[in-house]
Amino acid sequence: MIMAAPQIDRAEPEAPRDCPLCPRLVAFRGQNHAAHPDWFNGAVPSFGNASAELLIVGLAPGLRGANRTGRPFLGDYAGELLYRTLLKAGLAEGTHDPAGPEALSLVNCMISNAVRCVPPANKPEPREIANCRRFLAARLATLPDLRVLLALGRIAHDATLDALDLKRRDYPFAHGARHELGGLILFDSYHCSRQNTNTGRLTQAMFEQVFAEITTALKR
Ligand code: SF4
């Protein structure tokens, strides 16, 4: 029997929680649901303001972070560092508390992921990144005030360029880089994962410096 291809509205910026497009990730969501039925275990929606001027693009939900809580970066080490840094930069207000997410709101920014479902070992496959591009592209297209992007890591950087139909070779990833993309500015940072901070590849000071440049760009 020939199965019909799953139908997803190409202009929709958020995936349905049970998005069927990546069989490996659908199976992984199912495994996680069986093991942890109280976790979110779905395609994690973007979080933040519809009128945001800044969009932060991460890689994918962390297993015990966004995949558990249903909010990008909330509940794991990377989120601890990201939300703390956003608070310090004035891009969030309130209190960062994974047990009480309503205590924190973002200011003039939104956080999303290049891949909306948690991948095994934090490694999405190229086909999965390509599948999820439709949601990132629509997300970019539906933020009317968007001026600045921050890509956390090379995969997010490449996915963002692909979603904007720009050539990767024209905008090589580098920590601290600033790329002019027509009417948008793209900043790059190493991903704020524990692996990168444990190895010293990314320090808190390096991360805060990227946000200092972003807040300066937002003021112009
Ligand atoms: S990663 Fe994206 S495209 Fe793939 S199943 Fe999840 S939401 Fe759908």
Side-chain angles (χ1 to χ4, degrees), residues 15-16 19-22 25-26 29 43 115-117 128 131-132 135:
C19 179
L21 295 176
C22 303
L25 303 189
V26 171
R29 289 195 323 238
V115 174
R116 304 293 177 88
C117 297
E128 293 159 353
N131 281 345
C132 220
F135 300 115

Side-chain angles (χ1 to χ4, degrees), residues 126-149:
R127 186 178 183 84
E128 293 159 353
I129 300 168
N131 281 345
C132 220
R133 184 184 308 145
R134 74 196 66 204
F135 300 115
L136 180 57
R139 185 75 273 168
L140 290 161
T142 52
L143 288 174
D145 300 320
L146 185 64
R147 293 199 294 130
V148 178
L149 297 158

Side-chain angles (χ1 to χ4, degrees), residues 152-175:
L152 296 176
R154 184 184 302 274
I155 291 177
H157 168 96
D158 287 348
T160 300
L161 292 176
D162 291 349
L164 291 168
D165 265 334
L166 295 170
K167 291 190 171 60
R168 295 181 185 184
R169 67 170 178 269
D170 292 340
Y171 308 97
F173 174 83
H175 176 83

